[in-house]
Amino acid sequence: MAGEFSKRIGEIGEDTVSNFLQLIGCGTPIKNFDISCINSQKHDCKTHGIDGYFHYQSPLITNT
């Protein structure tokens, strides 16, 4: 039961951050996907889970 509670709290936090970033104009995040691990021997895994990812053009740095 404790694991379920922690998971639910994490989901609420993710939604809160997502809603805030949308409110200030960051758009909708890409949610819950995996990226390949570049050092799988050190981390003992092949992928890492990403909860949310925002892609945007930086107003401070040219060409990013």
Side-chain angles (χ1 to χ4, degrees):
M1 181 123 165
E4 292 174 14
F5 180 71
S6 295
K7 182 179 184 299
R8 182 66 185 135
I9 294 298
E11 290 170 349
I12 291 170
E14 290 171 21
D15 288 342
T16 301
V17 170
S18 178
N19 291 337
F20 172 74
L21 291 173
Q22 287 179 31
L23 183 67
I24 64 171
C26 288
T28 304
I30 301 168
K31 292 185 175 183
N32 301 318
F33 67 97
D34 294 331
I35 59 170
S36 298
C37 182
I38 61 169
N39 196 349
S40 59
Q41 290 180 342
K42 178 181 177 183
H43 298 145
D44 197 30
C45 63
K46 295 186 182 196
T47 61
H48 295 278
I50 302 296
D51 293 331
Y53 177 80
F54 286 89
H55 182 258
Y56 62 94
Q57 186 172 1
S58 174
L60 302 175
I61 303 171
T62 305
N63 298 323
T64 60

